[in-house]
């Protein structure tokens, strides 16, 4: 009898977990596509999968990157400097089935690895919502998230996540935030925009938290814009 009670308890727990996962994004089909070299990005991707129930897809290079850190950085730098498109093993055959695609990677040489360009250029994301995420050691988080946005210009975007050293501590809160964005049709992630304009109804800050004015904004910088109780990060363009 005790075993039966335990079994029912486990079934109930699994049902609760499944319902919690299905509640995200109003039941939309979710794909978590990620590239990971050290395992940090994989850890974050798996946490997103565990919470949302979305499908996992690991972006695998046809030619594996070296296991040695120094050698890998040399290859990554050469790919960046040559605007390379490393080949990928086993594409996603059913990309059209997904409504939301999380795209994640580590920060390599101040930006996303070039294999992410290969991935983004392999599919039509125009009718999808893209959610960028990345893992980083100390800097260039926002630039890497922005790169993923730039690689999917015809998509909608939700606020991205930068996880330092692959930490998953903030993943659930972030997912709840972007689930709210999705349900309320708020496209408030990092976006490409012209140089931001400060005014009485919008305040513009640089990444150090200092307020900036129209006189000292400059191109190719990331700013934080606060307006109507909402905060949006934006990278300016020429």
């Amino acid at each position: 009898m005790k075993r039966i009670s335990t079994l029912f308890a486990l079934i109930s727990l699994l049902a609760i977990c499944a319902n919690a996962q299905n509640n995200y994004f109003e039941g939309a089909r979710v794909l978590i596509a990620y590239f990971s070299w050290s395992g940090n990005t994989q850890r974050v991707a798996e946490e997103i999968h565990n919470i949302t129930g979305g499908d996992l897809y690991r972006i695998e290079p046809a030619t594996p990157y070296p296991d040695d850190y120094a050698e890998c950085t040399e290859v990554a730098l050469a790919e960046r400097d040559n605007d390379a498109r490393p080949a990928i093993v086993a594409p996603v055959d059913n990309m059209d089935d997904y409504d939301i695609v999380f795209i994640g990677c580590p920060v390599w040489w101040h930006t996303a690895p070039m294999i992410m360009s290969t991935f983004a250029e392999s599919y039509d994301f125009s009718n999808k919502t893209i959610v960028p995420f990345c893992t980083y050691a100390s800097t260039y988080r926002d630039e890497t998230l922005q790169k993923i946005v730039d690689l999917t210009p015809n998509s909608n975007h939700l606020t991205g996540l930068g996880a330092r050293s692959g930490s998953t501590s903030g993943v659930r809160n972030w997912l709840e935030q972007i689930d709210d964005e999705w349900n309320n049709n708020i496209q408030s992630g990092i976006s490409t925009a012209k140089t931001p304009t400060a005014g009485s109804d919008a305040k513009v800050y640089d990444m150090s938290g200092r307020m900036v004015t129209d006189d000292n904004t400059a191109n190719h910088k990331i700013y934080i814009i606060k307006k109507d109780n909402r905060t949006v990060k934006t990278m300016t363009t020429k």
Side-chain angles (χ1 to χ4, degrees):
M1 192 70 183
K2 185 176 180 181
R3 290 182 178 178
I4 295 175
S5 298
T6 302
L7 178 60
F8 276 117
L10 289 172
I11 293 173
S12 298
L13 179 61
L14 289 172
I16 291 171
C17 292
N19 287 334
Q21 291 172 344
N22 291 337
N23 283 337
Y24 281 91
F25 310 114
E26 298 182 336
R29 287 288 307 274
V30 173
L31 177 69
I32 303 113
Y34 70 96
F35 166 72
S36 185
W37 178 77
S38 67
N40 286 342
T41 309
Q42 178 176 341
R43 203 157 48 242
V44 176
E46 289 176 345
E47 182 71 359
I48 298 170
H49 160 73
N50 292 336
I51 296 173
T52 66
D55 295 337
L56 275 174
Y57 168 74
R58 179 168 181 144
I59 300 170
E60 293 277 10
T63 301
Y65 288 100
D67 293 331
D68 180 77
Y69 176 78
E71 292 179 14
C72 185
T73 59
E74 292 176 0
V75 172
L77 180 59
E79 288 182 347
R80 189 202 68 176
D81 289 348
N82 291 288
D83 197 26
R85 295 295 186 272
I88 294 174
V89 175
V92 180
D93 293 329
N94 59 332
M95 184 63 79
D96 290 343
D97 294 344
Y98 296 101
D99 306 297
I100 299 174
V101 181
F102 288 76
I103 300 179
C105 64
V107 174
W108 278 10
W109 291 105
H110 313 159
T111 187
M114 297 310 299
I115 196 169
M116 304 309 293
S117 297
T118 308
F119 174 77
E121 292 168 3
S122 299
Y123 307 96
D124 180 7
F125 293 109
S126 57
N127 294 319
K128 302 184 185 302
T129 295
I130 302 299
V131 189
F133 68 98
C134 71
T135 55
Y136 67 104
S138 58
T139 57
Y140 296 101
R141 172 195 63 188
D142 295 294
E143 289 83 350
T144 302
L145 295 175
Q146 179 64 44
K147 179 63 175 181
I148 295 173
V149 171
D150 291 342
L151 289 171
T152 53
N154 298 319
S155 306
N156 293 321
H157 298 92
L158 299 179
T159 298
L161 172 74
R164 190 164 188 172
S165 301
S167 171
T168 61
S169 61
V171 171
R172 185 175 293 275
N173 287 339
W174 166 62
L175 288 172
E176 291 176 358
Q177 173 192 345
I178 62 174
D179 180 58
D180 182 65
E181 292 177 7
W182 169 269
N183 291 331
N184 292 285
N185 196 30
I186 299 172
Q187 304 302 326
S188 61
I190 296 177
S191 60
T192 302
K194 295 297 181 181
T195 302
T197 301
S200 59
D201 60 342
K203 296 180 180 179
V204 181
Y205 301 83
D206 63 19
M207 293 303 292
S208 299
R210 294 173 298 208
M211 187 179 295
V212 298
T213 66
D214 294 343
D215 296 331
N216 60 6
T217 55
N219 289 331
H220 298 296
K221 288 187 177 180
I222 295 175
Y223 294 95
I224 299 173
I225 302 176
K226 294 185 177 181
K227 181 177 180 180
D228 299 330
N229 296 319
R230 288 175 53 196
T231 300
V232 179
K233 290 180 182 177
T234 181
M235 176 177 281
T236 63
T237 59
K238 288 183 178 181

